[in-house]
Short mmCIF file of all heavy atoms in Angstrom, two decimals:
data_model
loop_
_atom_site.label_atom_id
_atom_site.label_comp_id
_atom_site.label_asym_id
_atom_site.label_seq_id
_atom_site.Cartn_x
_atom_site.Cartn_y
_atom_site.Cartn_z
N LYS T 12 33.65 278.63 57.88
CA LYS T 12 33.35 277.27 58.36
C LYS T 12 34.61 276.43 58.48
O LYS T 12 34.72 275.60 59.38
CB LYS T 12 32.32 276.61 57.43
CG LYS T 12 30.93 277.22 57.58
CD LYS T 12 29.85 276.43 56.88
CE LYS T 12 29.87 276.64 55.40
NZ LYS T 12 28.69 276.01 54.74
N ILE T 13 35.58 276.65 57.60
CA ILE T 13 36.86 275.95 57.72
C ILE T 13 37.55 276.34 59.03
O ILE T 13 38.05 275.48 59.77
CB ILE T 13 37.76 276.24 56.51
CG1 ILE T 13 37.22 275.55 55.26
CG2 ILE T 13 39.20 275.79 56.78
CD1 ILE T 13 37.94 275.94 53.98
N LEU T 14 37.59 277.63 59.33
CA LEU T 14 38.22 278.08 60.57
C LEU T 14 37.50 277.51 61.79
O LEU T 14 38.15 277.11 62.77
CB LEU T 14 38.23 279.61 60.64
CG LEU T 14 39.22 280.33 59.72
CD1 LEU T 14 39.06 281.84 59.86
CD2 LEU T 14 40.66 279.94 60.06
N LEU T 15 36.19 277.44 61.75
CA LEU T 15 35.44 276.87 62.87
C LEU T 15 35.77 275.39 63.05
O LEU T 15 35.90 274.90 64.18
CB LEU T 15 33.94 277.05 62.64
CG LEU T 15 33.40 278.48 62.76
CD1 LEU T 15 31.96 278.55 62.27
CD2 LEU T 15 33.50 278.97 64.20
N ARG T 16 35.92 274.67 61.95
CA ARG T 16 36.24 273.25 62.04
C ARG T 16 37.66 273.01 62.54
O ARG T 16 37.96 271.98 63.14
CB ARG T 16 36.07 272.57 60.67
CG ARG T 16 34.63 272.42 60.24
CD ARG T 16 34.50 271.40 59.11
NE ARG T 16 35.22 271.81 57.91
CZ ARG T 16 34.70 272.51 56.93
NH1 ARG T 16 33.45 272.93 57.00
NH2 ARG T 16 35.40 272.83 55.86
N MET T 17 38.55 273.97 62.31
CA MET T 17 39.95 273.81 62.71
C MET T 17 40.16 273.95 64.22
O MET T 17 41.21 273.59 64.72
CB MET T 17 40.82 274.83 61.98
CG MET T 17 40.91 274.59 60.49
SD MET T 17 41.88 275.85 59.62
CE MET T 17 43.53 275.38 60.08
N GLY T 18 39.19 274.53 64.90
CA GLY T 18 39.32 274.68 66.34
C GLY T 18 39.73 276.09 66.73
O GLY T 18 40.38 276.81 65.97
N ARG T 19 39.34 276.45 67.93
CA ARG T 19 39.49 277.84 68.39
C ARG T 19 40.95 278.31 68.41
O ARG T 19 41.26 279.41 67.95
CB ARG T 19 38.88 277.93 69.79
CG ARG T 19 38.63 279.32 70.30
CD ARG T 19 37.87 279.22 71.62
NE ARG T 19 37.47 280.52 72.11
CZ ARG T 19 36.74 280.68 73.21
NH1 ARG T 19 36.33 279.62 73.90
NH2 ARG T 19 36.41 281.90 73.62
N GLN T 20 41.85 277.51 68.94
CA GLN T 20 43.25 277.92 69.05
C GLN T 20 43.89 278.08 67.67
O GLN T 20 44.62 279.05 67.42
CB GLN T 20 44.04 276.93 69.90
CG GLN T 20 43.68 276.98 71.37
CD GLN T 20 44.62 276.12 72.21
OE1 GLN T 20 45.37 275.30 71.68
NE2 GLN T 20 44.58 276.31 73.52
N ASN T 21 43.64 277.13 66.78
CA ASN T 21 44.19 277.23 65.42
C ASN T 21 43.64 278.46 64.71
O ASN T 21 44.38 279.18 64.04
CB ASN T 21 43.83 275.98 64.62
CG ASN T 21 44.64 274.76 65.04
OD1 ASN T 21 45.77 274.89 65.49
ND2 ASN T 21 44.06 273.59 64.90
N ALA T 22 42.34 278.69 64.85
CA ALA T 22 41.72 279.84 64.20
C ALA T 22 42.31 281.15 64.72
O ALA T 22 42.55 282.08 63.94
CB ALA T 22 40.21 279.82 64.41
N THR T 23 42.57 281.23 66.01
CA THR T 23 43.14 282.44 66.60
C THR T 23 44.51 282.73 66.01
O THR T 23 44.84 283.88 65.69
CB THR T 23 43.24 282.30 68.13
OG1 THR T 23 41.91 282.16 68.68
CG2 THR T 23 43.90 283.52 68.76
N LYS T 24 45.33 281.71 65.85
CA LYS T 24 46.67 281.89 65.29
C LYS T 24 46.59 282.34 63.83
O LYS T 24 47.34 283.23 63.40
CB LYS T 24 47.46 280.58 65.40
CG LYS T 24 47.80 280.17 66.83
CD LYS T 24 48.49 278.82 66.86
CE LYS T 24 48.79 278.39 68.29
NZ LYS T 24 49.41 277.04 68.35
N LEU T 25 45.69 281.74 63.06
CA LEU T 25 45.57 282.11 61.65
C LEU T 25 45.00 283.51 61.50
O LEU T 25 45.40 284.26 60.60
CB LEU T 25 44.70 281.09 60.91
CG LEU T 25 45.32 279.70 60.76
CD1 LEU T 25 44.35 278.77 60.03
CD2 LEU T 25 46.64 279.75 60.01
N LYS T 26 44.08 283.88 62.37
CA LYS T 26 43.53 285.23 62.32
C LYS T 26 44.61 286.28 62.59
O LYS T 26 44.63 287.35 61.97
CB LYS T 26 42.40 285.39 63.34
CG LYS T 26 41.08 284.77 62.92
CD LYS T 26 40.04 285.04 64.01
CE LYS T 26 38.70 284.50 63.67
NZ LYS T 26 37.69 284.82 64.72
N ALA T 27 45.51 285.98 63.51
CA ALA T 27 46.61 286.91 63.80
C ALA T 27 47.49 287.08 62.57
O ALA T 27 47.92 288.20 62.24
CB ALA T 27 47.43 286.40 64.98
N LYS T 28 47.76 285.98 61.86
CA LYS T 28 48.57 286.06 60.65
C LYS T 28 47.84 286.86 59.57
O LYS T 28 48.44 287.70 58.88
CB LYS T 28 48.88 284.65 60.14
CG LYS T 28 49.95 284.59 59.07
CD LYS T 28 51.31 284.95 59.65
CE LYS T 28 52.43 284.66 58.69
NZ LYS T 28 53.75 285.03 59.27
N LEU T 29 46.55 286.61 59.42
CA LEU T 29 45.77 287.33 58.43
C LEU T 29 45.70 288.82 58.73
O LEU T 29 45.73 289.66 57.82
CB LEU T 29 44.35 286.75 58.37
CG LEU T 29 44.22 285.36 57.74
CD1 LEU T 29 42.83 284.79 57.99
CD2 LEU T 29 44.50 285.41 56.25
N THR T 30 45.62 289.16 60.00
CA THR T 30 45.60 290.57 60.40
C THR T 30 46.89 291.27 59.98
O THR T 30 46.87 292.40 59.48
CB THR T 30 45.39 290.69 61.92
OG1 THR T 30 44.13 290.11 62.27
CG2 THR T 30 45.41 292.15 62.36
N ASP T 31 48.01 290.58 60.17
CA ASP T 31 49.31 291.14 59.78
C ASP T 31 49.39 291.31 58.27
O ASP T 31 49.85 292.34 57.76
CB ASP T 31 50.42 290.22 60.28
CG ASP T 31 51.81 290.83 60.13
OD1 ASP T 31 51.90 292.06 59.94
OD2 ASP T 31 52.80 290.08 60.21
N ILE T 32 48.92 290.31 57.53
CA ILE T 32 48.93 290.40 56.07
C ILE T 32 48.05 291.54 55.59
O ILE T 32 48.44 292.34 54.74
CB ILE T 32 48.46 289.06 55.45
CG1 ILE T 32 49.48 287.96 55.73
CG2 ILE T 32 48.24 289.22 53.94
CD1 ILE T 32 49.01 286.58 55.35
N ARG T 33 46.86 291.65 56.16
CA ARG T 33 45.93 292.70 55.74
C ARG T 33 46.54 294.08 55.95
O ARG T 33 46.40 294.97 55.10
CB ARG T 33 44.62 292.60 56.52
CG ARG T 33 43.54 293.53 55.98
CD ARG T 33 42.40 293.71 56.96
NE ARG T 33 41.30 294.43 56.34
CZ ARG T 33 41.29 295.74 56.09
NH1 ARG T 33 42.34 296.50 56.40
NH2 ARG T 33 40.23 296.32 55.54
N ARG T 34 47.19 294.26 57.08
CA ARG T 34 47.80 295.55 57.40
C ARG T 34 48.81 295.96 56.32
O ARG T 34 48.95 297.13 56.00
CB ARG T 34 48.48 295.47 58.76
CG ARG T 34 49.20 296.73 59.20
CD ARG T 34 49.78 296.55 60.59
NE ARG T 34 50.77 295.49 60.64
CZ ARG T 34 52.04 295.64 60.30
NH1 ARG T 34 52.48 296.80 59.85
NH2 ARG T 34 52.88 294.63 60.39
N ARG T 35 49.47 294.97 55.75
CA ARG T 35 50.53 295.25 54.78
C ARG T 35 50.03 295.43 53.35
O ARG T 35 50.71 296.06 52.54
CB ARG T 35 51.57 294.12 54.81
CG ARG T 35 52.30 294.00 56.15
CD ARG T 35 53.13 292.72 56.19
NE ARG T 35 53.73 292.49 57.50
CZ ARG T 35 54.93 292.92 57.87
NH1 ARG T 35 55.68 293.61 57.01
NH2 ARG T 35 55.41 292.67 59.07
N ILE T 36 48.86 294.87 53.02
CA ILE T 36 48.40 294.92 51.63
C ILE T 36 47.20 295.82 51.40
O ILE T 36 46.87 296.13 50.25
CB ILE T 36 48.08 293.51 51.09
CG1 ILE T 36 46.81 292.95 51.74
CG2 ILE T 36 49.25 292.56 51.27
CD1 ILE T 36 46.31 291.68 51.09
N ALA T 37 46.52 296.25 52.45
CA ALA T 37 45.26 296.97 52.28
C ALA T 37 45.46 298.42 51.86
O ALA T 37 44.56 299.03 51.28
CB ALA T 37 44.43 296.91 53.55
N GLN T 38 46.60 298.98 52.17
CA GLN T 38 46.83 300.38 51.85
C GLN T 38 48.33 300.62 51.70
O GLN T 38 49.12 299.73 51.95
CB GLN T 38 46.26 301.30 52.93
CG GLN T 38 46.76 300.98 54.33
CD GLN T 38 45.98 301.73 55.40
OE1 GLN T 38 45.11 302.53 55.10
NE2 GLN T 38 46.30 301.47 56.64
N GLY T 39 48.70 301.81 51.31
CA GLY T 39 50.10 302.14 51.19
C GLY T 39 50.73 301.58 49.93
O GLY T 39 50.06 301.30 48.93
N PRO T 40 52.05 301.38 49.94
CA PRO T 40 52.80 300.98 48.73
C PRO T 40 52.31 299.70 48.08
O PRO T 40 52.27 299.61 46.86
CB PRO T 40 54.24 300.84 49.25
CG PRO T 40 54.30 301.70 50.48
CD PRO T 40 52.94 301.61 51.09
N VAL T 41 51.97 298.70 48.90
CA VAL T 41 51.55 297.42 48.32
C VAL T 41 50.24 297.58 47.54
O VAL T 41 50.11 297.12 46.40
CB VAL T 41 51.39 296.34 49.41
CG1 VAL T 41 50.81 295.07 48.82
CG2 VAL T 41 52.73 296.05 50.05
N ALA T 42 49.26 298.25 48.15
CA ALA T 42 47.98 298.46 47.47
C ALA T 42 48.15 299.27 46.20
O ALA T 42 47.57 298.96 45.16
CB ALA T 42 46.99 299.13 48.41
N ARG T 43 48.99 300.31 46.26
CA ARG T 43 49.22 301.13 45.06
C ARG T 43 49.93 300.34 43.98
O ARG T 43 49.59 300.46 42.79
CB ARG T 43 50.05 302.37 45.45
CG ARG T 43 49.26 303.40 46.25
CD ARG T 43 49.99 304.74 46.26
NE ARG T 43 51.28 304.64 46.94
CZ ARG T 43 51.45 304.84 48.24
NH1 ARG T 43 50.40 305.11 49.02
NH2 ARG T 43 52.65 304.77 48.79
N ALA T 44 50.88 299.49 44.38
CA ALA T 44 51.59 298.68 43.40
C ALA T 44 50.63 297.71 42.71
O ALA T 44 50.70 297.50 41.50
CB ALA T 44 52.73 297.92 44.08
#
């Protein structure tokens, strides 16, 4: 609901950042650490 209130363009930018973060922490060295 916060992302929806922030507006479509803002949400798209934050989702891209979250996707990058997820890729780095979900598996591999970071997850094992």
Side-chain angles (χ1 to χ4, degrees):
K12 289 191 283 188
I13 289 172
L14 286 178
L15 289 170
R16 288 197 298 269
M17 293 177 75
R19 195 173 186 176
Q20 289 188 346
N21 287 330
T23 297
K24 292 176 182 178
L25 291 179
K26 283 182 178 182
K28 192 69 170 180
L29 288 169
T30 299
D31 190 17
I32 293 171
R33 189 196 189 285
R34 178 177 62 83
R35 296 170 186 269
I36 70 170
Q38 54 191 356
V41 174
R43 287 196 297 270

